[in-house]
Amino acid sequence: DPSFIEKAIFVTELADAGYAAAVVMDALAIDKPMLSRMTKVARTIPSDVIRFVGPAHGIGRRRWEELADMTRDRGLDLGALVAGLTGAEALASDDRFARLALAAAKAIEVPGEVEASPALPVRDADGVMIAEIKTSPRSLTLRFVRAAAPEFHDWLRDNAQAEILRLYQAWKDH
């Protein structure tokens, strides 16, 4: 199944080849707003940056749009940011996106202004994303991927309060 960015590139290539928007929307079963979003992302983020990141199957439309909006609204040079990501080539595609998004957020940071950080993946020893961590000025959000480990998801739901209290106490004791 193609990722959002792969579909966005395909949509843009079809449009560039002269296909009418209605034909593209019918072929991909998308509506006009989605066509617009996909085109915006694929035209805003440079193709070499998209190739660097790769398919990023775990990165949805919203996060790609946020990166495109930061790029357009703040005039970011994503190519320069990619060049500064040492060692990122060895990371998984989703992790490369996370590193790039974090670099972009830091590049537009205004002193005194606190913005939400991009989600950071939590992977098990086999590289499977089991959770992601996202911080904002007012909260820290942990989102667990049920499909990765349904039994862990169920266990965590049943034990979360005790485990969070244990972690809180460990933090207080350090």
Side-chain angles (χ1 to χ4, degrees):
D1 190 30
S3 67
F4 170 79
I5 196 63
E6 291 171 318
K7 291 176 188 174
I9 291 167
F10 183 60
V11 161
T12 305
E13 288 171 348
L14 290 174
D16 290 347
Y19 287 91
V23 172
V24 174
M25 290 185 300
D26 285 344
L28 295 173
I30 59 175
D31 59 12
K32 191 168 185 150
M34 180 57 73
L35 177 67
S36 177
R37 289 180 183 117
M38 291 174 139
T39 304
K40 174 188 78 170
V41 169
R43 294 200 189 284
T44 303
I45 299 176
S47 58
D48 58 331
V49 171
I50 293 171
R51 278 191 302 278
F52 166 78
V53 169
H57 286 282
I59 307 301
R61 172 194 54 84
R62 183 182 53 80
R63 291 176 61 199
W64 278 105
E65 279 188 290
E66 288 171 357
L67 184 61
D69 290 343
M70 279 193 286
T71 302
R72 185 190 64 236
D73 297 344
R74 303 287 183 108
L76 287 179
D77 182 352
L78 291 179
L81 291 177
V82 164
L85 296 178
T86 56
E89 304 83 21
L91 298 173
S93 182
D94 287 5
D95 296 336
R96 286 192 302 269
F97 179 92
R99 291 272 307 274
L100 176 59
L102 184 60
K106 286 181 180 178
I108 64 170
E109 212 170 67
V110 175
E113 179 182 310
V114 179
E115 292 193 20
S117 68
L120 297 173
V122 176
R123 298 185 182 280
D124 68 8
D126 296 325
V128 175
M129 187 170 87
I130 58 171
E132 66 179 9
I133 302 168
K134 186 158 183 147
T135 59
S136 72
R138 297 187 310 176
S139 68
L140 171 84
T141 304
L142 296 170
R143 185 182 68 81
F144 292 88
V145 181
R146 181 172 178 78
E151 299 84 12
F152 175 67
H153 189 274
D154 294 342
W155 178 88
L156 187 60
R157 182 194 59 232
D158 296 339
N159 295 283
Q161 183 175 3
E163 290 301 311
I164 291 169
L165 290 172
R166 182 186 62 76
L167 288 170
Y168 180 73
Q169 189 60 48
W171 170 78
K172 283 179 60 178
D173 293 344
H174 90 279

